[in-house]
């Protein structure tokens, strides 16, 4: 079958259709084109289980991957209709918080593109990550009903149902699917489970809801508020619901493909994305037991099938659940977990590596490490810190399990789709091959001295800044000046990522201007970040950024040199506008704390220069582009780790010792800020910095100021700046998620590539 034109999917001329009718016609066209190309098949299949898949809007992405974008755009244009208007009306599935969820989405794209039989397994949340808006200069949250159109969405209901038993009651579930189109290839699927008894009427005002009736609220929200026990318990219910459905599906499918379950590892690879899906291990062992497989063999099968990815070294983020929670949610798992605990206890006494600790808490990562065959970190430095410090006792036990898989991003979404002008310029300069083999971007290095090319890069950046400015005006009514330097920090709001350090820089710059020291060029600081609803200090940081923005904007002189903007409801869609417009990419986490970072890769690919600490994947970026093409500052991870170990960090000594720092910190709770802000919040933030500053912003303040001054000075020489940008683009190839996925497959999954053509 040849895919027809869009007009064959409507019963009236395209010009007469409503936008919704056109959107639905596009859904059908994409679905048919995807089916026509077929799904990647093979004896062994990857199941990437994750509580998050931050897939973003799919219309343009799917059209590009299917090679239909230009023809559809032209067909619509010929009838006076605009594809971008339809792109605008699509609701973004924000089924994730940040990097971990977006990584899962990039990985599915790469698996599909590379011909690997692979599916994502997760939950069909009715509401994705909350919508953020600002009122009284503070973050407010409301539900994100991304499924407003019901049937008219990418989510396809299947006729597959499962039963999940919780302590005291059962629920039934339905499997939904979203196609994951590969670039010029076949597809995979994102398979999401919903509980049949879900009831959106239990949602009250904002994002609060009745936490008691699990049968109704189970799949309503991505990560319900876990600031209290009811919220935490619900999270365990969600996790078990996800893995029980997933494990049942996997066993059914593998048997259908010919597995006798003893040989499950020849049919399935399960990648556990952080600890949220950890219970898949005991659940798999339990189900294998139901199929008559003895415990010891079931453990060994589960180990051969499962692999675990760690995304954090923040001890507080490693999940532990009180055993009685699991007992309440899934009592059938308790005998299994007890036996796993005993297996570990019998072979090793070290309390650090036990499954259940002396307080009766179950350590999810410990289950993953003992009972899977691979443990990977997500950047070289991160994996090294896991091996040498955070998980050192495990590394001693199982050195062979540990491996690194430096993260990557899909270049389809993060260049071809979001920055078509840049993609066009690259193709014009080095041809098309880079779209399939990102390392070919290095061919750009031969053009470093091509003044015409550097000039075009500069023009594209300017165009993207104007485009972003127009988007921001429409999005939240804020005006930004494309002549200013766009200095961008966009990522989850977390103290370790240190938006507060950037805030201190902005405060210092404002004070400098007030003192008559005027910068050469205006800087527009753009922050995009959501704070977890119960994370008070993170919300205080957002509040302080917005308040400072107001103070600066109200000052007739300072506003000519500085603008501080907090972008409302930062999500994938906003990122696609923002990243191509950035001049400077702020990657300023405390060294040793950012596992990898992935926005650093997106900014680099889009020609922004990194201002960053030697943390996560920044280290690898620095190695690749060389010293002259990146701006680094701050203490290194060894110094930071040693300082934590000594436990002698005293923020006050830095505050007392640096007048600029003292002034900036005092300003945060001074009269000007209090005129626009909330005293309690600004006071709390200041006290947190002075009394604790757990992520050590103060020791890096001085070198941050110095390096940032250098960056802002260097932008003035656009020729040399764009040359650096070109080197960054050329070296970004390593960070293609295609490379990452090839490494996962080579070292961990061992899937066959589906190179056949045709249908399912
Ligand atoms: O995972 C992030 C890390 O912080 C980044 O350094 C890394 O690049 C990416 C991908 O590997 N982690 C998260 O995004 N984590 C979460 O969003 C999260 C969600 C729920 C609970 C704990 C953490």
């Amino acid at each position: 079958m040849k895919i027809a034109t869009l007009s064959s999917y409507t019963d009236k001329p395209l010009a007469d259709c409503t936008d919704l009718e056109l959107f639905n016609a596009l859904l059908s066209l994409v679905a048919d084109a995807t089916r026509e190309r077929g799904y990647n098949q093979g004896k062994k299949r990857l199941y990437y289980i994750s509580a998050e898949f931050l897939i973003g809007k799919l219309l343009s992405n799917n059209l590009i991957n299917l090679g239909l974008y230009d023809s559809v755009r032209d067909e619509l244009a010929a009838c006076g209709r605009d594809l971008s208007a339809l792109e605008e009306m699509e609701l973004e599935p924000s089924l994730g918080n940040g990097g971990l969820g977006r990584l899962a989405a990039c990985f599915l794209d790469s698996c599909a593109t590379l011909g690997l039989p692979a599916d994502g397994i997760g939950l069909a949340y009715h509401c994705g990550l909350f919508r953020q808006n600002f009122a009284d200069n503070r973050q407010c949250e409301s539900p994100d009903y991304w499924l407003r159109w019901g049937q008219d969405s990418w989510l396809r209901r299947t006729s597959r149902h499962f039963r999940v038993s919780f302590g005291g009651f059962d629920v039934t579930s339905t499997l939904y699917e979203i196609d994951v189109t590969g670039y010029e290839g076949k597809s995979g699927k994102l398979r999401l489970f919903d509980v049949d008894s879900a009831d959106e009427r239990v949602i009250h005002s904002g994002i609060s809801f009745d936490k008691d009736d699990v049968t109704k609220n189970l799949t309503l929200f991505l990560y319900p508020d876990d600031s209290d026990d009811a919220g935490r318990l619900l999270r365990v219910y969600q996790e078990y619901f996800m893995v029980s459905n997933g494990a049942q599906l996997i066993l059914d499918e593998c048997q259908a493909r010919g597995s006798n379950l003893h040989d499950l590892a020849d049919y399935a690879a399960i990648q556990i994305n952080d600890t949220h899906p950890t219970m898949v291990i005991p659940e798999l062992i339990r189900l294998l037991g139901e199929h008559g497989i003895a415990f010891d063999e079931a453990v060994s099968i589960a180990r051969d099938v499962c692999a675990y990815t760690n995304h954090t070294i923040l001890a507080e983020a490693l999940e532990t659940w009180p055993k009685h929670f699991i007992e309440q949610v899934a009592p059938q798992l308790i005998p299994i977990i007890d036996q796993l605990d005993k297996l570990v206890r019998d072979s090793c006494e070290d309390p650090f590596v036990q499954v259940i600790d002396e307080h009766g808490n179950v350590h999810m990562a410990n289950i993953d490490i003992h009972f899977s065959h691979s443990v990977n970190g997500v950047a070289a430095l991160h994996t090294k810190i896991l091996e040498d410090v955070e998980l050192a006792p495990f590394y001693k036990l199982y050195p062979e399990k540990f491996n690194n898989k430096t993260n990557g991003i899909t270049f389809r979404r993060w260049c071809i789709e979001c920055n078509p002008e840049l993609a066009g310029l690259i193709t014009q300069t080095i041809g098309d091959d880079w779209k399939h083999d990102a390392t070919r971007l290095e061919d750009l290095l031969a053009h470093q001295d091509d003044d015409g090319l550097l000039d075009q890069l500069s023009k594209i950046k300017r165009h993207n800044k104007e485009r972003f400015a127009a988007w921001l005006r429409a999005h939240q009514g804020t005006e930004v000046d494309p002549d200013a330097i766009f200095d961008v920090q966009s990522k989850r709001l977390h103290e370790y990522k240190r938006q507060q350090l950037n805030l201190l820089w902005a405060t210092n710059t404002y004070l400098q201007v007030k003192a008559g020291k005027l910068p050469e060029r205006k800087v527009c600081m753009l922050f995009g970040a959501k704070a977890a609803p119960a994370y008070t200090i993170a919300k205080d940081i957002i509040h302080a950024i917005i308040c400072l923005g107001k103070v600066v904007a109200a000052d007739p002189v300072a506003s000519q040199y500085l603008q501080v903007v907090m972008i409302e409801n930062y999500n994938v869609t906003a990122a696609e506008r923002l990243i191509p417009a950035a001049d400077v990419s702020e990657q300023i986490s405390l060294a040793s704390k950012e596992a990898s970072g992935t926005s650093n890769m997106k900014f680099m690919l889009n020609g922004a220069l990194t201002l960053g600490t030697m943390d996560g994947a920044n280290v690898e970026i620095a190695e690749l582009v060389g010293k002259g093409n990146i701006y680094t500052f701050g203490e290194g991870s060894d110094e930071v780790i040693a300082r934590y170990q000594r436990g002698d960090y005293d923020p006050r000594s830095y505050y007392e010792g640096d007048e600029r720092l003292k002034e900036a910190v005092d300003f945060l709770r001074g009269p000007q800020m209090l005129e626009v802000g909330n005293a309690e919040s600004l006071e709390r933030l200041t006290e947190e910095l002075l009394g604790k500053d757990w992520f050590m912003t103060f020791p890096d303040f001085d070198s941050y100021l110095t390096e940032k001054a250098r960056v802002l000075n260097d932008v003035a020489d656009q020729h040399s700046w764009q040359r650096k940008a070109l080197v960054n683009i050329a070296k970004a190839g390593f960070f293609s998620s295609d490379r990452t996925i090839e490494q996962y497959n080579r070292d961990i999954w061992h899937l066959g590539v589906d190179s056949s053509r045709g249908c399912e």
Side-chain angles (χ1 to χ4, degrees), residues 687-702:
E687 279 305 316
E688 182 77 19
L689 287 171
L690 282 171
K692 195 153 108 199
D693 189 23
W694 183 246
F695 295 102
M696 302 176 186
T697 44
F698 293 0
D700 283 349
F701 180 73
D702 177 59

Side-chain angles (χ1 to χ4, degrees), residues 52 97 99-100 223 235 276 311 378 407 492 496 594-597:
E52 303 189 14
N97 275 288
L100 171 151
Y223 292 140
R235 195 146 152 180
H276 318 125
H311 295 267
V378 289
N407 281 341
R492 286 181 296 136
Y496 85 79
E594 186 69 271
S596 160

Side-chain angles (χ1 to χ4, degrees), residues 440-547:
R440 294 299 299 274
L441 283 174
E442 292 219 14
D443 295 353
L444 286 169
L445 292 176
H447 301 267
Q448 283 180 70
D449 297 316
D450 179 343
D451 292 349
L453 177 64
L454 299 181
D455 195 41
Q456 277 179 286
L457 269 185
S458 189
K459 289 203 173 98
I460 289 171
K461 187 59 78 182
R462 170 74 199 199
H463 164 83
N464 289 336
K465 288 165 86 166
E466 284 168 10
R467 192 178 66 140
F468 173 76
W471 177 84
L472 192 69
R473 185 180 308 125
H475 179 68
Q476 67 187 62
T478 305
E479 292 290 338
V480 290
D481 176 3
D483 280 330
I485 300 167
F486 280 14
D487 171 33
V488 184
Q489 187 172 16
S490 58
K491 44 186 79 258
R492 286 181 296 136
L493 202 310
H494 201 293
E495 286 161 284
Y496 85 79
K497 293 176 185 282
R498 300 201 298 187
Q499 283 92 350
Q500 68 275 28
L501 177 57
N502 207 351
L503 168 70
L504 288 171
W505 179 87
T507 310
N508 171 259
T509 303
Y510 170 74
L511 292 170
Q512 295 280 310
V513 173
K514 293 305 283 177
K517 288 187 201 128
L518 305 180
E520 291 281 313
R521 274 185 76 185
K522 181 170 178 178
V523 178
C524 177
M525 301 177 69
L526 293 156
F527 290 89
K530 289 181 181 174
Y535 188 173
T536 306
I537 289 291
K539 289 175 128 177
D540 291 339
I541 294 172
I542 289 182
H543 179 60
I545 292 171
I546 297 174
C547 290

